[in-house]
């Protein structure tokens, strides 16, 4: 090998070495930056130095959950639920040979990773108080999961007074933990405060995908047990009465898991022409109420369920002449955010905020704007009868079926099969100033009439239900006798295909049984049994 | 005729004349006393001189009621209702040839002279919100009286916000009228304050049979319409927050009628052995709740319906070890007065006081003692969800029938025929801390099982009903799934004659339909249809 070649090779080697060194330096720099960023994140998200030592993996945290425990999780709907520890538990249980079961307490429904995956893995023995998951629904309906379908506002006092067993371990999603070890909740409050207060141990998931700017949106206020309760000092949907954090304390926190996953909220549902017609009817009715002096010009605080009809109604309010509206509701979804954005709503109070994947970027961009207009409360407060009655909520919820006397079924398909549950609809409907139920007049392409002689399950009684709205029209039932209600509903709300059939049932019942609420009990449920047998009520 | 005889006759005549004169004097004196007493009465009872000129006969006052009017009357149950003007109206209408109809608004049920006689005379077009009269019931069930069977707490806001037509004339029983023309109500408050505020004209019946010492028992507090409502400042059943009079003003009073008739309250019902067994079971349950820390030692404020079971329960509390009890209820009946008298209850809040004819003398004798312990409130306050939820009422009401999943029918016999109405049971049951329904396990000497596969009418849903008590035992439904509820009810509450039949229905439904709430809709109401056909469910 010549010297020239050697030198040239050496040169190359030197160049290579210096490149490597440079790259190493770059990597170190990058690593430093990552570490620095991590430190920064940790500093902002875990503001208590000692607690930073409790950060573990999801697997380690999941190991703290034992067979037979009462497990409570944060959030309300797929908002603010823990993302990683539940997944780690599913993985662990699927690898086990022996049975592993827990009771699951939540605010409301939760993510599919929990209700769906836990149901499939056979983890859930008992489920309280609400769900919407199809895999779980199957197990509830075959009797293998015990489901207590409760008014959502009742849950906290059931736990506080030990009516149902105490919480062993709570898994709580947080934006951050304060220096005092208290928890800044993320997008869903639900029963978080009650769970944390009553749990023996708390696992906190700090989710970096939940913007730090959420801090300040929550207004945490809990109630003492009776007889020590004081009036809840809310006279307006926007009143802030509590703290921005959930009191916990660092002693109770047994593990912290860092996560970075957005809420899997539901995608935007499009407004169908039928939903649009229901919305038009409902807004027409509200306008008439204002004209007749039965409602103030800016209405009263609106509570609205979720889904296509709710979206259409709230979108309709955006287009309406109403101003200075407010909402006192459970779930703040896209259409309520838009109601704020379009300047129609001054304030929206709820227990969770659930922007669709489509709406999320806008929500995050304008989070500082929204934070001024949104209050997130524990569900015992958002759904409290005291407030619903005092501020005079207009409650708008969806019925599965309605009968000619105004009884509403919102939970059970053909009387037996659970759909989702009553959720908060009972908390509001029972105590609202104006209780409205909406439904399409038919389902299953017309094989089902949503208005039947007698509902196969009652969730809201004729005493609570004031107004029925379908795409056909509006029946205002207030102050009417049952026979008058029947005529109002049949004439205004029923699909033309079923009008004569229903009127025939009603007239025959008036003749055969008579009474205040005429029913022929031999035929009262015959529409359902016909559907079960033939696939159609016709 | 001899002089001697003449003299003797003259003497006799003189004696006679002087006797007559004496008698005349006596009469004058008596008349003076009567006038004096009347003046004294008037002074005490009508404390505004100008208003004394408005005293008329009942007939004159009844003439102020016109065909088609909305007539509202004071009182709640047969307590504090007007006694003479309604009778005069019946007499007038019976003498008329043309039709004469009014809409009748009340607090609750009322005296037979009104609901019964007006129904028989065909006076009532529409009746809101509650009744218990057999003659009226007939007309409601044949469809000739339109009956809106409403939650009693809703009535005031329906009127205040013109949801139902405004009151034309109110007939109000009073203990007295103040100098300012305000009304001291008698034994039943009900909706008096709202009726007076909203009526064009007010007829006042001053009932001398109602002791003046009732003054001070009433605590009148009315609510603004939302959105202007403030928290109701009651944190304890005994809190006084309002005035002792109903604001009216002398201008509004169009006539005053003096009356002197006691309330026709119901006679004392004896405690049957079955009621006693229900009471024993219920008190046993309450004791267990205290032991388990689910209730404080002195329980929580008790709301109780009326009747034999309620009497037995409250009498049972008199014999129990409980101390410092309180009641937050609608009707204060004998057994609650005895609870005060025996030193067990510190305070009782209600909207009417209804001592039986047997208890009345004792109540009047000790009225000053009772006045310290009793608060009579408008029914919008006594039945307000805000208070029921805050103070954590224990709500005890009677069911007509219950189904295996805990739904309660409290109004309709065999689904169609109105019994009385929901009354205030919904106000309490929906918002109480502990919602208990009692029923004998069988009716009609065993031909009816009070527990059925599916109730034929729902007034209280499975979501509201927490505990069922029969003479057989107690089913605590809180936190259970529907299938677990069915087993708890069948095992603990059902009469032995029907236990196997119900279990058979349940097990068959689990197999055939399955679901969260298994029902065979073909058979769900078959127990009722069998009874209608054969006179027995067996």
């Amino acid at each position: 090998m010549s010297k020239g070649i050697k030198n040239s090779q050496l040169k190359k080697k030197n160049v290579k070495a210096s490149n490597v060194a440079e790259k190493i330096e770059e990597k170190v720099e990058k690593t430093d930056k990552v570490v620095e960023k991590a430190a920064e994140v940790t500093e902002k998200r875990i503001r208590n130095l000692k607690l930073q030592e409790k950060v573990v993996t999801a697997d380690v945290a999941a190991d703290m959950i034992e067979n037979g425990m009462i497990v409570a999780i944060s959030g309300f709907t797929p908002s603010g639920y823990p993302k990683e520890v539940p997944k780690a538990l599913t993985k662990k249980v699927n690898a086990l040979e022996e049975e592993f079961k827990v009771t699951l307490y939540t605010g409301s429904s939760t993510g599919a990773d929990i209700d769906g995956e836990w149901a499939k893995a056979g983890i859930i023995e008992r489920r309280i108080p609400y769900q919407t998951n199809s895999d779980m629904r199957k197990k509830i309906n075959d009797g293998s999961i015990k489901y207590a379908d409760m008014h959502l506002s009742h849950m906290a006092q059931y736990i506080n007074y030990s009516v149902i067993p105490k919480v062993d371990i709570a898994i709580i999603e947080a934006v951050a933990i304060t220096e005092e070890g208290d928890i800044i909740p993320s997008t869903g409050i639900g029963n978080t405060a009650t769970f944390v207060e009553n749990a023996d141990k708390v696992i906190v998931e700090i989710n970096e995908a939940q913007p730090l700017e959420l801090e300040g949106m929550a207004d945490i206020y809990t109630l003492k047990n009776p007889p020590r309760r004081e009036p809840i000092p809310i006279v307006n949907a926007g009143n802030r009465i509590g703290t921005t954090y959930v009191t916990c304390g660092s002693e109770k926190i047994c593990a912290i898991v860092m996560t970075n996953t957005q809420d899997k909220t539901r995608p935007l549902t499009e407004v169908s022409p039928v939903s649009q017609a229901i919305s038009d009817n409902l807004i027409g009715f509200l306008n008439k109420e204002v004209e007749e002096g039965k409602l103030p010009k800016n209405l009263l605080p609106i509570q609205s369920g979720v889904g296509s009809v709710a979206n259409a109604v709230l979108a309709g309010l955006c287009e309406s002449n109403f101003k200075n509206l407010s909402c006192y509701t459970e779930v703040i979804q896209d259409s309520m955010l838009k109601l704020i954005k379009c300047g129609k709503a001054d304030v929206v109070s709820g227990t969770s905020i659930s922007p669709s994947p489509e709406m999320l970027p806008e929500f995050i961009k304008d989070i500082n704007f929204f934070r001024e207009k949104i209050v997130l409360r524990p569900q015992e407060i958002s759904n409290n009868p005291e407030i619903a009655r005092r501020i005079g909520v207009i409650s708008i919820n969806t019925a599965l079926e309605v009968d000619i006397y105004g009884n509403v079924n919102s939970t059970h398909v053909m009387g037996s099969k659970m759909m989702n549950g009553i959720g908060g609809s009972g908390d509001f409907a029972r105590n609202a100033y104006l209780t409205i139920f909406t439904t399409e007049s038919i389902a299953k392409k017309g094989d089902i009439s949503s208005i039947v002689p007698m509902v196969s399950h009652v969730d809201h009684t004729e005493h609570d239900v004031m107004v029925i709205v379908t795409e056909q029209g509006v029946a205002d039932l207030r102050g009417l006798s049952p026979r008058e209600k029947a005529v109002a509903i049949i004439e205004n709300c029923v699909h033309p295909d079923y009008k004569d059939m229903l009127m025939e049932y009603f007239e025959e019942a008036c003749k055969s049984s008579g009474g205040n609420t005429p029913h022929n009990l031999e035929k009262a449920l015959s529409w359902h049994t016909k559907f079960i047998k033939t696939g159609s009520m016709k």
Side-chain angles (χ1 to χ4, degrees), chain A residues 73-95:
Chain A
I73 64 163
S74 63
F76 194 101
T77 68
S79 293
Y81 61 96
K83 310 292 189 289
E84 299 301 334
V85 180
K87 271 190 221 164
L89 184 73
T90 309
K91 198 178 68 183
K92 170 184 147 178
V93 172
N94 281 335

Side-chain angles (χ1 to χ4, degrees), chain A residues 24-36:
Chain A
I24 287 171
E25 230 166 77
E26 259 172 47
K27 268 191 189 165
V28 168
E29 208 171 296
K30 264 190 192 165
T31 312
D32 275 357
K33 270 187 190 165
V34 169
V35 170
E36 207 173 291

Side-chain angles (χ1 to χ4, degrees), chain A residues 291-313:
Chain A
E291 274 168 34
E292 293 174 2
K294 296 179 194 168
L295 276 176
K297 272 187 184 169
N298 66 336
L299 302 179
L300 286 168
I302 294 163
Q303 174 267 324
S304 167
V306 296
S308 170
V309 173
N311 278 336
V313 170

Side-chain angles (χ1 to χ4, degrees), chain A residues 29 93 95 127 135 208 233 270 307 332 356 376 416 423 430 442 450 459 507:
Chain A
E29 208 171 296
V93 172
R127 180 73 177 87
D135 290 306
E208 288 179 57
E270 225 169 295
I332 303 169
S356 69
L376 293 184
S416 298
R430 292 179 307 159
I442 48 171
S450 305
D459 294 290
E507 285 172 353

Side-chain angles (χ1 to χ4, degrees), chain A residues 39 90 160 250 338 515 535:
Chain A
T90 309
N160 284 332
S250 47
K338 286 178 189 161

